[in-house]
Amino acid sequence: NAGVTQTPKFRVLKTGQSMTLLCAQDMNHEYMYWYRQDPGMGLRLIHYSVGEGTTAKGEVPDGYNVSRLKKQNFLLGLESAAPSQTSVYFCASSYSKDNNYGYTFGSGTRLTVV
Amino acid sequence: GNSVTQMEGPVTLSEEAFLTINCTYTATGYPSLFWYVQYPGEGLQLLLKATKADDKGSNKGFEATYRKETTSFHLEKGSVQVSDSAVYFCALRRGSTLGRLYFGRGTQLTVWP
């Protein structure tokens, strides 16, 4: 099915380890976003991209890096994981920034840092 | 700035009860408004939207009306089902902010048979 695919779905990391979360969309969307979801906090924007080769910081970018080398892929990296990064991570994409369009979300990556 | 405030949950209802989840927003200009639903273990799915004042969004028996005078977009359903148990998020979007969606904190709904 067309949509947004996130890998992996689950991961446990030790403090200080690094990892990359992959988001892939096959809808030719220009805009892509990474959010984290924590209990009682809703969704907070980490980084986003408005097109291939572009990235920008959101509300909570510290400790994360991103890359958008291909239009269909948006990678989120943790260079040195910390317990505070234990969360559920969602990727989303959108056709444009036009108000009329919502987002298509992936099913999430549940990350635990011990 | 742009922000969304939702009523805090959890909300617990019996099957066939009436549901209202309040949502108010702060934004400059003319945002579009959305309701998303998240079922257990899944990502968020678009439930309904409204793009201008007085528009009513509807889907699966849920409705919400864009009220600019009260800056509100309350979600309603006349008769809830057990399968409606989920977390509901209100959100706004303005193209001038590079298409970013601003989310409320979410409201957990549990429906008992």
Side-chain angles (χ1 to χ4, degrees), chain B residues 44-85:
Chain B
L44 280 72
Q45 303 173 26
L46 179 63
L47 180 60
L48 53 84
K49 69 177 182 181
T51 59
K52 60 183 186 295
D54 300 325
D55 267 2
K56 177 184 284 188
S58 62
N59 186 25
K60 299 180 181 180
F62 292 89
E63 294 183 337
T65 301
Y66 189 161
R67 302 285 189 199
K68 191 167 177 63
E69 63 275 13
T70 55
T71 62
S72 65
F73 192 54
H74 304 322
L75 182 69
E76 296 182 337
K77 187 175 186 183
S79 176
V80 294
Q81 305 300 312
V82 172
S83 58
D84 294 326
S85 298

Side-chain angles (χ1 to χ4, degrees), chain A residues 70-106:
Chain A
K70 294 183 178 181
K71 185 177 183 178
Q72 63 266 35
N73 295 337
F74 194 30
L75 278 62
L76 178 71
L78 287 73
E79 290 187 348
S80 179
S84 61
Q85 294 178 303
T86 294
S87 187
V88 181
Y89 292 85
F90 286 101
C91 176
S93 70
S94 179
Y95 175 70
S96 82
K97 67 180 178 69
D98 189 285
N99 282 2
N100 290 332
Y101 294 92
Y103 290 179
T104 300
F105 279 87

Side-chain angles (χ1 to χ4, degrees), chain A:
Chain A
N1 291 335
V4 177
T5 303
Q6 290 184 236
T7 53
K9 294 191 183 303
F10 303 93
R11 185 74 185 267
V12 178
L13 283 181
K14 293 183 179 179
T15 297
Q17 286 185 319
S18 64
M19 78 164 294
T20 300
L21 283 66
L22 172 63
C23 176
Q25 53 93 4
D26 58 4
M27 298 170 286
N28 201 35
H29 284 177
E30 288 290 338
Y31 290 72
M32 296 187 75
Y33 308 84
W34 275 107
Y35 283 85
R36 60 178 288 173
Q37 183 180 30
D38 303 291
M41 302 291 291
L43 281 85
R44 293 182 291 172
L45 182 65
I46 305 172
H47 285 281
Y48 62 98
S49 169
V50 300
E52 181 178 316
T54 75
T55 62
K57 294 180 180 180
E59 299 177 71
V60 289
D62 293 343
Y64 305 95
N65 55 75
V66 287
S67 64
R68 183 107 181 260
L69 299 180
K70 294 183 178 181
K71 185 177 183 178
Q72 63 266 35
N73 295 337
F74 194 30
L75 278 62
L76 178 71
L78 287 73
E79 290 187 348
S80 179
S84 61
Q85 294 178 303
T86 294
S87 187
V88 181
Y89 292 85
F90 286 101
C91 176
S93 70
S94 179
Y95 175 70
S96 82
K97 67 180 178 69
D98 189 285
N99 282 2
N100 290 332
Y101 294 92
Y103 290 179
T104 300
F105 279 87
S107 57
T109 296
R110 185 174 295 276
L111 175 66
T112 302
V113 182
V114 297

